[in-house]
Amino acid sequence: MTHEAAPPGPAPAGATPARTLLPLFLPAMVVGGVSSLLYVGVSKLADQLKDVLWTDLPDALGIGGYSSLWMIVMLTATGVLVGLVVWKAPGHAGPDPATLGLQAEPMAPFILPGLLVATALMLAGGPSLGPENPIIATNVALAFWAGRRFAPAAPGVLWVTLAEAGTIGALFGTPVAAALVISEALAGRQVKGLLWDNLFAPLTAAAVGSITTALLGHASFDLDLPPLGSPGWADVLSALVVASVAAVLGMAGVHSFPYVHKAFGLLRHPMAALPVGGLVLGLLGCLGGPLTLFKGLDQVAEIAHDPDGWSAGRFALMAVVKLAALVVAASCGFRGGRIFPAVFIGAAFGLCAHALVPAVEPSLGLAAGVLGTLLAITRQGWVSLFTAAVLVASPSIIALLCIASLPAWLLVTGRPQMQLRKDGSPVR
């Protein structure tokens, strides 16, 4: 009896020589450092402006800084100011932010000043968006422009990848997040050499970006929560249920996103859409309270450090209001990203679960809620899993979150994302 030989499999990828990788080291370091400096610089400028707008100015006027009146006035005024920038700045502060994700196409450099001003105003004024999308877009544009000017022989995609990795490392405070995101992106491409060879330069940029952010003392996603002990069966069930229900909550926002975006599009002009959006956000702030304003990272730390300080109903209200504020802010034209506020939504929902069922550990509920919400809103599996895990310093949380991600992913995969194409249809 004869046996036919099995067809040969694909040849294993050859490793890239060190002499090819070494010249990438210095450019990657420069891009990573500059990416972090720009992120930290814009964030610190926005924080100083926030203190003026929400503390110094209302104190001088004798008005409560977070009174209902001031929230409505401040959010509406932010809409007016950002609307002016989008209307008058060269390039209109970039494309419609509803069409942008973490991966960015290089913009023309003349667009960047308007985009950065609009971003700083948004971060200071209180809309529920984070800095990630516009900061990544700015760093990509700068790295691409500089790379094409000073090293024209290098492929343009190299500079895009380095800037994305450096900024993600700076944003999350660790290069691991960037490595996971780049690995996920590389999975759909034809790449030469080993995976680690392809990650060498991006990981360098991400490491420099993250360490620069840490050395400058900027806040990160680390909430310094108590570690989770040895998990039990109740913890497994808690993680599965909380992550899945949080994913369903996130999908409610995703499904409403194109309709809200279309409604604001009927206003046709940024000086109409953004002030109206700001007014709506001010009213939502009155309903949900000051914790539902801004990008949400500082607010997550506040509720996480006192998980029993609010009732289940209050946590649920904050989660729903923050989700509505995220949809409105991303639909009406404010320049910003969706990851930071999604973290707050998931954290508030997870702590709501703890308040309803005290057997749900607060750290586990918070992490599982963040996981499910991010899976629904970003559709980035590694980013969602890593962000949820980094909030709680515990090896056991990773296994629980991996298990919880499976049913949550089945609920969201193949469905629309919270990102639109240029024609207004949702990305799937």
Side-chain angles (χ1 to χ4, degrees):
M1 184 175 180
T2 60
H3 297 275
E4 293 184 6
T16 305
R19 64 178 180 273
T20 303
L21 296 177
L22 191 57
L24 300 175
F25 187 71
L26 182 58
M29 289 186 64
V30 172
V31 172
V34 172
S35 297
S36 174
L37 290 173
L38 188 138
Y39 163 57
V40 173
V42 171
S43 297
K44 288 189 177 296
L45 175 63
D47 287 342
Q48 292 180 357
L49 181 57
K50 173 186 170 184
D51 290 340
V52 172
L53 296 178
W54 291 91
T55 303
D56 299 342
L57 186 56
D59 285 351
L61 296 174
I63 302 173
Y66 290 96
S67 65
S68 296
L69 174 62
W70 191 251
M71 284 191 282
I72 292 172
V73 169
M74 200 67 257
L75 269 298
T76 305
T78 301
V80 171
L81 292 174
V82 176
L84 282 169
V85 174
V86 174
W87 179 26
K88 294 295 186 180
H92 303 289
D96 183 352
T99 65
L100 301 178
L102 287 180
Q103 280 77 40
E105 295 292 330
M107 298 180 187
F110 72 86
I111 298 175
L112 303 183
L115 177 59
L116 290 175
V117 170
T119 301
L121 289 171
M122 181 278 299
L123 291 172
S128 294
L129 292 173
E132 60 273 19
N133 289 10
I135 296 298
I136 288 174
T138 301
N139 281 328
V140 164
L142 290 174
F144 184 81
W145 172 82
R148 301 303 284 174
R149 181 177 179 86
F150 299 109
V157 69
L158 170 66
W159 306 109
V160 173
T161 304
L162 292 180
E164 288 177 351
T167 311
I168 292 172
L171 285 162
F172 290 90
T174 169
V176 178
L180 294 175
V181 173
I182 299 300
S183 298
E184 196 169 15
L186 289 175
R189 302 179 190 169
Q190 283 278 48
V191 295
K192 296 180 180 179
L194 302 176
L195 175 62
W196 198 252
D197 291 334
N198 286 276
L199 288 177
F200 177 82
L203 190 58
T204 301
V208 173
S210 63
I211 197 65
T212 302
T213 301
L215 290 172
L216 293 173
H218 194 67
S220 70
F221 277 83
D222 184 8
L223 299 179
D224 196 26
L225 291 174
L228 186 70
S230 299
W233 290 109
D235 295 322
V236 176
L237 179 61
S238 298
L240 288 168
V241 173
V242 173
S244 297
V245 179
V248 173
L249 174 65
M251 287 306 299
V254 172
H255 282 295
S256 68
F257 186 52
Y259 300 102
V260 178
H261 182 266
K262 184 177 181 181
F264 278 106
L266 296 175
L267 298 176
R268 298 183 179 278
H269 198 283
M271 283 305 294
L274 280 156
V276 170
L279 174 60
V280 174
L281 291 173
L283 295 172
L284 287 171
C286 296
L287 178 62
L291 286 174
T292 59
L293 302 179
F294 304 103
K295 63 184 180 184
L297 195 57
D298 294 337
Q299 291 73 23
V300 168
E302 185 170 344
I303 63 174
H305 289 157
D306 189 14
D308 298 311
W310 292 268
S311 66
R314 187 64 184 173
F315 278 126
L317 178 64
M318 286 193 286
V320 172
V321 168
K322 188 69 171 182
L323 180 60
L326 168 58
V327 172
V328 170
S331 298
C332 69
F334 284 109
R335 271 50 183 169
R338 298 174 278 277
I339 291 179
F340 283 69
V343 170
F344 180 90
I345 295 165
F349 178 81
L351 293 178
C352 171
H354 163 70
L356 283 173
V357 183
V360 177
E361 291 289 336
S363 297
L364 177 59
L366 185 149
V370 169
L371 171 66
T373 306
L374 282 176
L375 283 174
I377 289 176
T378 70
R379 213 59 50 83
Q380 297 269 349
W382 281 124
V383 168
S384 304
L385 186 60
F386 176 80
T387 303
V390 81
L391 298 175
V392 181
S394 172
S396 59
I397 197 75
I398 299 176
L400 289 170
L401 292 176
C402 286
I403 294 170
S405 69
L406 302 177
W409 183 257
L410 292 176
L411 290 170
V412 303
T413 186
R415 301 182 185 277
Q417 302 180 31
M418 192 175 277
Q419 184 178 344
L420 304 178
R421 296 187 177 90
K422 292 181 180 180
D423 62 2
S425 62
V427 175
R428 289 183 178 271

